[in-house]
Amino acid sequence: MKKHTICRLCSSCCPITADVENGRLISAHRISALPKEQQLICPKLKAATDIVYSPQRLSRPLLKDKNGRFREISWDEALDKIAERFLFFKNNHGAESVCWLRGMAADWGAPWDYVNRLMNAFGSPNTIGNGSVCHVGREFAHTVTYGAMTMPLISSARCVLIWGKNDMNTNPAAAENILQSIEKGAVLIVVDPVKTFLAENADIWLQIKPAHDGLLAMAMIHEIISKKYYNAAFVEKWTTGFDMLRQAAESFSAEQVAGDIGLDPIMIKEAARLYASSAPACIVDGNGLDMQLDTFDATRCVCILRALTGNLDIKGGDFIPQPVRVRNIQLQGQLSEEIQPITGDYQLFNKFHDNWGKHVQSCLIDAILDEKPYPLKMVVSQAGNPVVTMMDSNRVEKAFEKLDFLVVIDLFMTRTARMADVILPASSCFEKTQLNRAFMRNSPVRIQNAVIEPLMESRPDWMIVFELGRRIGLDAEFPWQTAEEAINYQLEPAGITVEMLRKHPEGIRADEIVFEKYKKNGFNTPSGKVEFYSGHLSSNGLSGIPYLHGYLQHPISFDDRKDQYPFVGISGARDNRFTHTQFHQIPSLAKKNSGCVVEIHKSDADAYGIVNGDTISIETPRGRIKMRAEVNENVPPGAIRIAWGWGDIDPDCGLNRLTDDVRRNPVIGTPSGRSFMCRISKISDSS
Ligand SMILES: Nc1nc2c(c(=O)[nH]1)N[C@H]1C(S)=C(S)[C@@H](COP(=O)(O)OP(=O)(O)OC[C@H]3O[C@@H](n4cnc5c(=O)[nH]c(N)nc54)[C@H](O)[C@@H]3O)O[C@H]1N2
Ligand SMILES: Nc1nc2c(c(=O)[nH]1)N[C@H]1C(S)=C(S)[C@@H](COP(=O)(O)OP(=O)(O)OC[C@H]3O[C@@H](n4cnc5c(=O)[nH]c(N)nc54)[C@H](O)[C@@H]3O)O[C@H]1N2
Ligand code: SF4
Ligand SMILES: [Mo]
């Protein structure tokens, strides 16, 4: 039997069909408009049955005994124990001493809302996501500029500018659109320090020095303004602060920045001209801009390019989404304003959006280790593997060791799970029904359906949260017995039900698509215009115009110690077989650990006497790891790219042992996990 659902094996949220026989998942296939031979294959989805039926899945709740050994317990025992701890810490240290930390895996739609609801009603402001390093910081930059995060309309664009995104490995549906668009003659510009497939096939590839995107974007702004390539009518009517922007851009001409960012000024100017003169043009911005000390302002500049060229909210440009009118079920009103969250230093970021809430996960480590602004005693870590994925893992490990009580909700025994007092086995994305963020952000809304029953004794995340809620006295807040009841309640204002969604697996469009919506309603910013100049930021002591007062010093961590750490380490080489630390234990995907490598330019390899397959050590002031070298010309000389996600199965390959968590972006709190100075040395030959 074929069943429709959404895959959540990674955050791309692809609509798929699942073949199910006798209650067993047989295979799963991505829905694509392209003929089969042109479709891109997702290896993770292809291996869905190996993942779902992996013998390593957690089967029952586990409790750690005094000797540090886990023993199986019943769900009632586990949930009672956790509820008892919630109430104990609330009574003895205040509800805020309990924190719920969310990784990326169980989605940011309803599952995030449920947890916020539980914690808000319980009285703790500390529901923390990982969005300061992924997407949400960028979303804030978009929102400050024009009121929402735009979506590139790749298929109808004449020019696609890809800025720090590698969809060939991370989002096959988007990559298919890009390839189709090029086929139809669109111009392709790629900004990436690494020679990706798309970079190699671009009309212009700007091989930027890592972490210097703000300089490049400002140089393009300068070129577009000084050569009058901008859309004067749009700028005149719909933007604020143009003169100040022109003034700020004065110090960032292509000639002035080229040396610092490793690019030829002629190429920067040509990229600006091509982008500005090929409307409609869209910009596909990605995680290459995230996890940088300068994420916020660099992204603002990229957003400004969209508006300068009049590409906002037009077909083939960057679309302002039309979100589904769901009910806000987070119960923010129940929380006392008197208790500051641990992310209190990032007030603007905490509040820029109705649903995103708090995302500076580094504050969790400060609160545990430094007890500032107050100590945290208990953490529930759900759908994440923070001990491996947060910056400076040696410090993260210390913090987790110090906790009085740790609960982990996961499918597998991760490094984080091993540190837990109680582990709850979660059901996979194929075993649960939920409302997905991707489809709440913009119509059409689609539903993620359970296509098989929860395996062994695992439970879906929603059920775990509802049952825990009721056990801590929140019966009224969690009256729902099924996922469907809760989803119907949340969707009520949109007039859509789960039943309707199941009848329309292609999705239900809440509103007709409308372009140039701002002409009727203005932009969702304080001025109703695109804010090159943000009064909101300025009145909060931040720069109203990006870089008006100069560029950030040392945008790469440890680059004040270049003499000892001469290489730029680039992290986040995402392989299409894995999602962060996930699936490396699945033999059909891991393929004997192939891909666990550090890429180094041939000229550097020669200088260090390194050949393919040699084991090398990589070191920063925070720590040291070991990996096999792959010598190629994908990275520029002076940089190395380190495979991401292997730290769970092998701590020697745990990239975040190298990263820093001291310096953070002042607005969105992100440390630089993406780019850091490091040194290398050869440990042993390949043989
Ligand atoms: N240096 C460096 N650091 C990085 C990155 C990088 O590129 N470089 N990337 C960053 C980014 S963008 C992100 S998003 C984070 C990711 O950080 P995490 O979210 O911590 O990453 P994962 O390793 O995907 O961990 C997800 C965990 O959830 C479990 N899981 C899967 N599905 C479910 C489910 O349905 N329910 C529950 N309860 N659990 C489930 C998985 O088994 C896995 O253990 O890492 C960030 N850290
Ligand atoms: N297979 C797979 N798919 C995934 C994930 C996964 O772990 N595995 N994770 C999911 C998640 S949570 C996320 S956030 C997305 C991320 O997906 P993407 O947004 O595609 O991000 P990345 O692949 O991390 O990096 C994108 C590109 O940025 C480049 N880059 C690195 N540093 C810089 C820089 O300083 N400037 C610029 N301009 N570019 C730079 C990298 O070389 C890379 O080619 O993928 C999602 N999809
Ligand atoms: S890219 Fe693959 S793993 Fe990610 S959601 Fe799509 S099908 Fe699933
Ligand atoms: Mo992410």
Side-chain angles (χ1 to χ4, degrees), residues 451-465:
V451 296
I452 52 172
E453 291 295 315
L455 291 177
M456 300 168 287
E457 285 192 28
S458 74
R459 288 189 181 176
D461 290 270
W462 63 263
M463 191 188 280
I464 297 172
V465 176

Side-chain angles (χ1 to χ4, degrees), residues 324-345:
V324 182
R325 285 177 301 280
V326 292
R327 179 174 272 136
N328 183 336
I329 59 164
Q330 293 191 359
L331 300 177
Q332 280 114 335
Q334 291 204 15
L335 204 58
S336 154
E337 287 276 327
E338 271 165 35
I339 313 166
Q340 279 296 306
I342 52 172
T343 56
D345 288 344

Side-chain angles (χ1 to χ4, degrees), residues 75-366:
W75 271 99
D76 276 338
E77 212 180 331
L79 289 169
D80 280 344
K81 174 83 186 163
I82 298 167
E84 180 273 317
R85 290 283 91 185
F86 259 78
L87 298 172
F88 170 85
F89 290 115
K90 181 175 183 165
N91 292 335
N92 291 283
H93 303 275
E96 67 276 16
S97 67
V98 181
C99 172
W100 197 300
L101 178 67
R102 274 284 317 264
M104 54 73 64
D107 198 76
W108 296 105
W112 173 244
D113 293 329
Y114 300 151
V115 176
N116 274 279
R117 183 178 177 91
L118 180 141
M119 293 298 279
N120 287 341
F122 171 68
S124 171
N126 295 320
T127 311
I128 311 290
N130 68 1
S132 67
V133 296
C134 171
H135 175 91
V136 186
R138 234 177 330 123
E139 176 147 351
F140 183 24
H142 281 246
T143 306
V144 155
T145 315
Y146 35 64
M149 186 160 199
T150 48
M151 308 170 81
L153 298 181
I154 299 166
S155 308
S156 36
R158 280 183 57 224
C159 170
V160 180
L161 167 50
I162 299 179
W163 205 307
K165 198 157 200 299
N166 188 16
D167 283 322
M168 294 297 287
N169 285 18
T170 57
N171 189 336
E176 283 175 0
N177 281 338
I178 295 168
L179 296 177
Q180 288 295 300
S181 190
I182 307 172
E183 190 101 317
K184 284 191 284 179
V187 173
L188 180 67
I189 305 170
V190 172
V191 182
D192 200 308
V194 178
K195 193 200 284 174
T196 62
F197 174 84
L198 292 173
E200 224 175 342
N201 288 283
D203 295 281
I204 297 187
W205 168 32
L206 298 171
Q207 191 177 23
I208 190 172
K209 181 171 176 194
H212 288 72
D213 298 273
L215 287 181
L216 173 63
M218 275 311 257
M220 289 177 68
I221 290 172
H222 178 272
E223 183 68 7
I224 288 170
I225 294 180
S226 61
K227 295 277 169 61
K228 300 209 167 27
Y229 296 148
Y230 60 94
N231 183 327
F234 181 87
V235 167
E236 165 85 16
K237 187 146 189 217
W238 290 109
T239 66
T240 65
F242 179 67
D243 288 334
M244 272 191 274
L245 178 67
R246 184 206 307 265
Q247 195 193 324
E250 291 285 297
S251 345
F252 298 93
S253 70
E255 284 78 10
Q256 281 164 293
V257 307
D260 288 338
I261 62 180
L263 291 172
D264 177 351
I266 296 173
M267 275 185 54
I268 301 176
K269 290 177 172 191
E270 180 54 9
R273 189 195 64 78
L274 253 186
Y275 166 67
S277 61
S278 313
C282 67
I283 305 182
V284 183
D285 59 302
N287 201 237
L289 284 169
D290 291 332
M291 278 180 281
Q292 308 275 20
L293 292 167
D294 194 31
T295 295
F296 186 65
D297 279 341
T299 308
R300 278 172 76 201
C301 291
V302 172
C303 294
I304 286 173
L305 283 169
R306 296 185 171 102
L308 265 183
T309 51
N311 276 307
L312 273 182
D313 217 20
I314 60 171
K315 192 171 177 195
D318 294 292
F319 186 63
I320 306 260
Q322 295 175 270
V324 182
R325 285 177 301 280
V326 292
R327 179 174 272 136
N328 183 336
I329 59 164
Q330 293 191 359
L331 300 177
Q332 280 114 335
Q334 291 204 15
L335 204 58
S336 154
E337 287 276 327
E338 271 165 35
I339 313 166
Q340 279 296 306
I342 52 172
T343 56
D345 288 344
Y346 303 94
Q347 286 297 352
L348 298 186
F349 187 34
N350 288 340
K351 292 192 173 149
F352 84 96
H353 191 278
D354 287 346
N355 301 90
W356 272 125
K358 296 135 214 155
H359 280 271
V360 189
Q361 54 178 355
S362 297
C363 294
L364 174 109
I365 306 305
D366 303 345

Side-chain angles (χ1 to χ4, degrees), residues 12-72:
S12 295
C13 302
C14 301
I16 57 165
T17 54
D19 296 308
V20 178
E21 277 172 28
N22 301 323
R24 196 176 163 89
L25 180 69
I26 303 297
S27 62
H29 307 273
R30 205 164 52 76
I31 297 170
S32 162
L34 294 181
K36 219 172 175 147
E37 57 287 0
Q38 288 177 31
Q39 290 178 16
L40 297 174
I41 302 293
C42 172
K44 302 183 284 305
L45 187 64
K46 208 167 156 212
T49 52
D50 297 341
I51 295 168
V52 169
Y53 298 109
S54 163
Q56 295 184 48
R57 279 260 317 251
L58 293 166
S59 56
R60 299 196 72 199
L62 298 171
L63 174 74
K64 196 177 266 167
D65 67 21
K66 284 196 187 79
N67 303 317
R69 278 189 293 262
F70 285 111
R71 72 174 166 88
E72 293 186 345

Side-chain angles (χ1 to χ4, degrees), residues 348-404:
L348 298 186
F349 187 34
N350 288 340
K351 292 192 173 149
F352 84 96
H353 191 278
D354 287 346
N355 301 90
W356 272 125
K358 296 135 214 155
H359 280 271
V360 189
Q361 54 178 355
S362 297
C363 294
L364 174 109
I365 306 305
D366 303 345
I368 300 169
L369 289 178
D370 309 335
E371 312 201 337
K372 284 186 186 138
Y374 43 76
L376 286 183
K377 296 289 176 189
M378 168 171 175
V379 169
V380 180
S381 169
Q382 178 196 17
N385 191 3
V387 164
V388 187
T389 58
M390 284 178 70
M391 308 310 141
D392 195 354
S393 0
N394 295 327
R395 183 167 176 260
V396 176
E397 243 167 42
K398 267 192 215 127
F400 275 69
E401 268 161 19
K402 190 180 165 193
L403 278 172
D404 287 18

